[in-house]
Amino acid sequence: MLAVRPSGCDTTRLRAARSTQATGDAILARKTRKKIGEILIEMGVVGADQVSAAVEEAKSTGKRTGEVLVEQGACKDTDVAKALATQYGAEFLNFERPETLTKVNRGLLKEEMQKKYSVVPMRKEAGRLVICVHDPLEIESFDLIGMMVNARVEIGGVAPRGQIMDFLSGETSGPQFKKQLLTDSLDKTVDRSTDRSADRSTDRSVDRDAVQEAGTVKLIDRMIVEAVTGRASDIHIEPRKDRVIVRFRIDGVCIVRDELPKSMQNQLLARVKLMAGVNIAERRIPQDGRIKMTIEDKVVDFRVSACPAVHGESIVLRILRPDSARIGLEGLGFEADNLANFNRIIRRPNGIFLVTGPTGSGKTTTLYSALNDLNTPDRKIITAEDPVEYAFKGINQVQVREHIGLTFSAILKSMLRQAPNIILVGEIRDREVADIAIQAALTGHMVFSTLHTNDAPSAITRLIDMGVKPFLVASSIQAVMGQRLVRMLCEKCKAPDDNPDRKVLRLVNISEEELSRGNLMKAVGCAACNGTGYRGRRAIFELMTMNSEIRDLAFNRSTVSKLRAAAIRGGMRSLLGDGKIKILRGMTTPAEIANFAQIEGFNPTEVGAA
């Protein structure tokens, strides 16, 4: 009973009196309660010495004892929340569990008040508003809430502050929240009555005034915020014959988010193009732009691409998250042996290190993570990129601009006069760039770059096919790494797979013996992963380190199959082999790995006959 507001009283005097009374009641009640440290000790999560040290630090810093224990790593914020719930006779709520969302009702309190005071309303009955909090001692805040809603505020639940803030910002993936988010469809801001069979005015010039319509602005903003909070990597706006399809790419898979009326097409496209700073009246040629927005106190960049299509311009917004390039090499998915080899290679004084794979396989993220690891004051690093996706402090990054002659080759030639230690070339696209990169490697520079090939050994033959002399390829390249991104199983819902599909196991070359020794898991699906069974992605790698045998084969223009066999003899583990490790550890599924790597020589017709 922390706050109540009878009518007919002076607000200021009432607030002071009630706040004083509530504070006094809380202090008296607290004297009869166990201290937070004592409860944590009884829970077995901390020791008496840790609590004593935390109490002393809390006195000197003014922090809560539980807060200090979490900062010191002695316990988790969930442990402190459980202890506070015990201390105040409240219920511990875990917003990462779906059933928790059935215990709250956000409609009882204005959203801005919930975020301002970090509280979640649970229920309202008999003049009482029961709320979930992270700190039961924020009495004055609860008093203010009570005055605003004219109700007595009581603490019914305690949860970690981080979970509460994630839930209030929409990042908690509970079923009710997702249902609310999905039913609150993007096109709720427009009038469906305008949806006719087709808009015959598609080819009219764009009216700049139409861009200012509030419905369109709200629609685009809602779409962007939802994509960012929903872990999407891309937003696709695709005009069709009689509709405009909005799709999000999450964990590498596109899902249809909504279908909007064709009559909105011009306004939607014009709004996005205006935000991206491109010519909204030009629809005949491709255009590229960028958007910078602040979403939940974080600055997010979007790379925008507009491409003319049959039914109107197709627009893709690529969401650039700087944190994804700074997750560290360990977070990419390397196994211990590959990570050790990778760290040795990138620290060599000269040579070329290539990363290969299709578009969207994480090549740029891998190279950025390597540069971030190598970025020290004693090294000069220069990059040539098209485009520059992430800005790094301490690295000289150059944007390619073909229309003014600032090409990869022109930048590379200038780079060599800048005396760098490390050079990154966004992509080796032709012989001229390849020749300059090799020349840089042979003159004492370490060069990182990407190449579009299916696997690591193919990079050798690809460079030779470009026209690079075989002896230069053999002498300059230090290593080639192929990679793919695969989805990881959701930790909240994955379950043991007691009856795996033998056909799929054959595709990824898992024997019965390996199966018996492994920990095979399957995708189930829950609210946290939107029912897919997968959440997040990691890479699988094949790292081919050049040795004398591979150099001889490259010099003699040998085939890819001979290069691959030599690389495996030299210790390279294939994409399939790396994927098998993650399958048998229960990190992903055989079906997911089979999408990117299958046993060579396998005949799919044999599966049908099996």
Side-chain angles (χ1 to χ4, degrees):
M1 294 182 290
L2 293 175
V4 61
R5 187 184 184 186
S7 58
C9 298
D10 179 77
T11 302
T12 305
R13 289 187 293 105
L14 174 63
R15 177 182 171 186
R18 286 169 53 250
S19 181
T20 302
Q21 181 181 357
T23 304
D25 292 343
I27 292 172
L28 290 172
R30 196 180 182 195
K31 288 181 179 180
T32 64
R33 298 188 182 108
K34 289 185 178 180
K35 295 182 178 180
I36 188 72
E38 294 174 352
I39 298 174
L40 288 169
I41 292 172
E42 290 177 358
M43 290 170 58
V45 295
V46 295
D49 293 339
Q50 292 174 305
V51 171
S52 299
V55 169
E56 291 302 319
E57 183 172 338
K59 290 179 180 178
S60 60
T61 60
K63 297 180 180 179
R64 305 271 196 245
T65 302
E67 183 181 359
V68 174
L69 286 168
V70 172
E71 289 178 353
Q72 293 177 346
C75 62
K76 299 179 181 178
D77 56 353
T78 52
D79 296 325
V80 174
K82 289 177 182 177
L84 285 170
T86 301
Q87 187 180 37
Y88 286 88
E91 182 181 4
F92 168 70
L93 298 183
N94 185 350
F95 283 96
E96 293 180 352
R97 300 192 63 83
E99 60 267 24
T100 299
L101 302 186
T102 63
K103 302 177 181 179
V104 300
N105 184 356
R106 292 194 62 185
L108 298 176
L109 195 61
K110 290 184 178 180
E111 184 175 352
E112 55 265 31
M113 291 179 64
Q114 297 178 43
K115 291 184 176 180
K116 181 177 181 180
Y117 298 110
S118 301
V119 300
V120 180
M122 297 175 65
R123 59 187 180 275
K124 191 174 183 180
E125 53 192 17
R128 297 181 303 125
L129 176 65
V130 182
I131 61 175
C132 174
V133 303
H134 69 92
D135 185 356
L137 287 178
E138 293 284 354
I139 298 171
E140 187 170 330
S141 298
F142 309 149
D143 184 57
L144 290 171
I145 294 172
M147 293 178 61
M148 292 175 185
V149 300
N150 193 25
R152 185 190 305 274
V153 173
E154 293 184 4
I155 299 173
V158 179
R161 187 176 189 277
Q163 288 188 14
I164 290 178
M165 296 308 295
D166 285 347
F167 174 70
L168 295 178
S169 63
E171 293 182 3
T172 298
S173 302
Q176 287 194 352
F177 177 76
K178 286 297 178 184
K179 181 179 179 182
Q180 174 189 348
L181 192 62
L182 293 173
T183 54
D184 188 14
S185 181
L186 293 175
D187 58 349
K188 285 288 182 66
T189 56
V190 300
D191 185 0
R192 277 286 186 180
S193 64
T194 62
D195 182 16
R196 299 176 178 88
S197 60
D199 182 9
R200 292 182 173 85
S201 64
T202 300
D203 293 329
R204 297 178 195 164
S205 61
V206 177
D207 182 0
R208 186 179 292 269
D209 293 335
V211 180
Q212 304 302 325
E213 292 190 8
T216 303
V217 174
K218 186 176 180 181
L219 171 64
I220 296 296
D221 289 346
R222 185 196 298 270
M223 181 192 306
I224 290 175
V225 170
E226 183 179 333
V228 172
T229 57
R231 301 185 305 107
S233 59
D234 305 278
I235 304 171
H236 299 259
I237 304 173
E238 303 169 334
R240 303 288 172 85
K241 184 178 180 180
D242 59 353
R243 294 276 174 175
V244 179
I245 305 297
V246 177
R247 299 197 293 172
F248 293 167
R249 186 184 297 275
I250 301 175
D251 291 337
V253 178
C254 281
I255 60 170
V256 176
R257 178 58 188 86
D258 219 326
E259 298 183 7
L260 302 177
K262 185 72 173 179
S263 57
M264 293 192 61
Q265 178 174 316
N266 285 348
Q267 297 176 20
L268 284 171
L269 302 185
R271 171 62 182 169
V272 176
K273 290 168 69 176
L274 188 65
M275 293 171 69
V278 300
N279 186 355
I280 65 174
E282 179 58 74
R283 294 180 294 171
R284 301 166 299 171
I285 60 175
Q287 296 186 84
D288 295 314
R290 293 185 84 116
I291 298 173
K292 187 185 291 287
M293 291 180 64
T294 301
I295 299 175
E296 296 181 352
D297 299 326
K298 294 181 181 179
V299 178
V300 181
D301 280 339
F302 301 83
R303 193 176 74 201
V304 182
S305 172
C307 181
V310 174
H311 300 297
E313 288 177 289
S314 173
I315 292 185
V316 177
L317 289 80
R318 179 76 181 274
I319 303 173
L320 304 177
R321 293 180 170 87
D323 293 344
S324 66
R326 297 181 174 89
I327 60 176
L329 296 174
E330 294 80 2
L332 295 175
F334 279 106
E335 299 300 327
D337 55 346
N338 274 345
L339 180 58
N341 289 334
F342 183 84
N343 277 318
R344 281 196 295 269
I345 292 164
I346 65 175
R347 284 168 173 77
R348 292 181 180 177
N350 62 282
I352 295 179
F353 178 72
L354 294 175
V355 180
T356 71
T359 301
S361 59
K363 301 185 298 297
T364 302
T365 299
T366 298
L367 289 179
Y368 273 143
S369 297
L371 289 187
N372 196 44
D373 206 41
L374 297 171
N375 186 17
T376 56
D378 60 322
R379 291 190 179 100
K380 183 177 178 68
I381 303 174
I382 305 180
T383 73
E385 304 170 64
D386 185 20
V388 174
E389 293 192 357
Y390 305 110
F392 280 83
K393 185 177 180 180
I395 296 179
N396 303 277
Q397 298 173 269
V398 184
Q399 168 76 54
V400 172
R401 292 184 174 87
E402 300 275 356
H403 62 284
I404 61 172
L406 192 61
T407 61
F408 273 119
S409 57
I411 295 171
L412 276 172
K413 290 175 183 176
S414 176
M415 277 183 181
L416 297 179
R417 295 191 290 271
Q418 296 278 317
N421 300 106
I422 298 171
I423 294 172
L424 182 142
V425 184
E427 181 185 350
I428 294 180
R429 297 177 178 175
D430 51 42
R431 178 181 175 179
E432 184 179 13
V433 175
D435 283 339
I436 300 172
I438 288 174
Q439 188 63 34
L442 295 175
T443 53
H445 305 86
M446 189 64 192
V447 180
F448 296 99
S449 190
T450 67
L451 200 62
H452 286 284
T453 62
N454 288 329
D455 55 16
S458 298
I460 304 296
T461 56
R462 176 80 178 97
L463 289 173
I464 294 174
D465 289 343
M466 280 184 183
V468 180
K469 295 178 181 179
F471 77 90
L472 290 176
V473 174
S475 59
S476 62
I477 292 181
Q478 297 288 345
V480 184
M481 187 170 72
Q483 72 176 70
R484 300 288 191 279
L485 286 177
V486 296
R487 292 181 297 171
M488 295 289 105
L489 285 167
C490 175
E491 293 294 332
K492 296 184 182 298
C493 65
K494 68 179 182 179
D497 192 354
D498 298 325
N499 187 29
D501 189 337
R502 261 54 183 180
K503 299 174 184 178
V504 180
L505 293 181
R506 291 178 63 191
L507 278 175
V508 294
N509 199 28
I510 292 180
S511 65
E512 291 294 333
E513 182 184 355
E514 289 174 320
L515 185 61
S516 64
R517 291 187 282 107
N519 181 31
L520 206 65
M521 306 294 282
K522 63 180 178 181
V524 177
C526 68
C529 58
N530 295 328
T532 63
Y534 298 91
R535 184 176 175 87
R537 291 191 292 175
R538 294 283 185 92
I540 54 174
F541 302 96
E542 57 178 20
L543 181 55
M544 182 182 75
T545 304
M546 298 292 282
N547 55 32
S548 57
E549 182 183 5
I550 298 175
R551 294 186 195 279
D552 288 341
L553 290 173
F555 182 78
N556 293 315
R557 298 174 180 265
S558 296
T559 61
V560 173
S561 59
K562 291 183 179 179
L563 288 166
R564 170 169 285 278
I568 291 174
R569 285 194 297 272
M572 182 186 82
R573 183 169 55 246
S574 67
L575 290 172
L576 177 59
D578 208 43
K580 282 175 59 177
I581 293 174
K582 291 175 173 58
I583 292 172
L584 297 174
R585 286 181 181 169
M587 299 171 65
T588 188
T589 62
E592 183 68 13
I593 296 298
N595 287 332
F596 301 98
Q598 298 179 11
I599 183 172
E600 292 186 16
F602 185 85
N603 185 359
T605 59
E606 295 177 1
V607 174

